[in-house]
Amino acid sequence: MTTLPPSLDTIEELARTAISDLPPQFAVAANTLVLRVMEFAPDELLAEIGIEEPFELTGLYTGIPLTEKSSFDQPTEPDAIWLFRRPILDEWIARGDVDLSDLVTHVTVHELAHHFGWTDADIARIDRWWE
């Protein structure tokens, strides 16, 4: 029996489930973000944020956090959450003790935290990763 690793579509589905499971006041706003799921972060993106090893980056938020937005902002691209399949799977395998859906939820919520300007206490109410 051959077992294939989870696909890009599977990671996206898990992330969309994590977003839809948020409290309604966050889920509505979170659904306005673009969700990009890729094998790895593009080289130019890694260079821009100063990361040399692509396996180090499981997710990223790009955009202007809600706590910093102004009506004068002229965005050139929509706010987005990026998830990187291979680094997520690498972490999942290395941990060996966490469900893939929990890991994808953790990465997704962490990136949403950047968008919403959430504090650690806010994140703890939604994502009890360390318990």
Side-chain angles (χ1 to χ4, degrees), residues 2-59:
T2 302
T3 303
L4 298 175
S7 66
L8 290 167
D9 290 340
T10 299
I11 301 297
E12 181 174 346
E13 181 181 317
L14 292 171
R16 291 201 184 281
T17 297
I19 291 168
S20 69
D21 288 346
L22 291 169
Q25 68 271 25
F26 295 121
V28 171
N31 277 306
T32 66
L33 296 170
V34 173
L35 178 60
R36 295 183 173 130
V37 182
M38 305 174 74
E39 291 295 323
F40 288 101
D43 291 338
E44 62 275 2
L45 186 60
L46 290 169
E48 182 179 320
I49 60 177
I51 294 179
E52 292 183 21
E53 173 55 51
F55 277 100
E56 291 180 14
L57 189 62
T58 56

Side-chain angles (χ1 to χ4, degrees), residues 103-118:
L103 179 57
V104 172
T105 295
H106 172 71
V107 174
T108 303
V109 169
H110 179 87
E111 300 315 327
L112 282 170
H114 292 295
H115 175 65
F116 288 115
W118 290 344

